Amino acid sequence: MDFNEFSFRVRYGETDQMGVVYHGNYAQYLEMGRVEWLRSMGISYKKMEENGIMLPVISLNILFKKSAVYDDLLTVTTYIRKRPMVRIEFDYEIRNEAKELLIEANTVLAFMDMKSNKPIKCPDYILDKLDI
């Protein structure tokens, strides 16, 4: 199973007046997880786009367990459990500093050719780096 972890602090602007993280911000946290997962494998999302490949989200599911609050140190763990083809699927957990599970999530993205706007196979340079 390939996974990556990274941590960051919740910023004030990501919360409501009660200091609770607005639910829409979790999608951005998941995106940060995906980008850091790619970076940990030596793959730049920016270079992938420069090479004409984009990865739009086609499915997003989040199961909220507990709220994150202002100044929490959050850890996003991003997993990939199956070999990508045209689609790549990520699972996530976000935990606070006390290791409490805040959310479980899943996203599915499709590899797309930016010129033709058509789905394509996962690039070999990604497949070659996977242990699954």
Side-chain angles (χ1 to χ4, degrees), residues 117-132:
N117 208 28
K118 298 206 186 246
I120 59 172
K121 177 180 149 315
C122 176
D124 288 338
Y125 63 86
I126 293 176
L127 292 173
D128 292 344
K129 294 184 182 220
L130 296 176
D131 293 330
I132 50 175

Side-chain angles (χ1 to χ4, degrees), residues 33-115:
R34 288 191 302 277
V35 169
E36 291 304 319
W37 178 85
L38 285 165
R39 189 184 321 276
S40 75
M41 293 185 14
I43 300 166
S44 163
Y45 196 93
K46 181 179 179 182
K47 286 206 186 291
M48 198 167 53
E49 286 189 338
E50 288 171 354
N51 290 324
I53 299 172
M54 63 181 168
L55 274 171
V57 174
I58 59 175
S59 172
L60 166 64
N61 287 300
I62 301 175
L63 179 60
F64 296 94
K65 306 258 186 192
K66 186 173 179 166
S67 297
V69 296
Y70 170 64
D71 206 38
D72 268 355
L73 179 64
L74 302 183
T75 299
V76 178
T77 306
T78 306
Y79 302 92
I80 180 170
R81 293 189 165 100
K82 52 186 160 180
R83 199 160 176 81
M85 299 297 279
V86 173
R87 296 176 181 198
I88 187 167
E89 184 172 347
F90 294 96
D91 292 317
Y92 312 83
E93 292 178 350
I94 297 181
R95 294 180 183 269
N96 61 17
E97 207 164 355
K99 307 283 187 231
E100 296 171 305
L101 181 62
L102 306 181
I103 72 153
E104 293 177 311
N106 173 275
T107 57
V108 179
L109 295 86
F111 290 95
M112 300 283 289
D113 181 290
M114 293 174 81
K115 289 182 184 145

Side-chain angles (χ1 to χ4, degrees), residues 14 16 20-29 60 62 64 103:
E14 297 166 341
D16 60 20
V20 174
V21 170
Y22 172 67
H23 72 278
N25 286 321
Y26 288 94
Q28 291 180 38
Y29 299 165
L60 166 64
I62 301 175
F64 296 94
I103 72 153

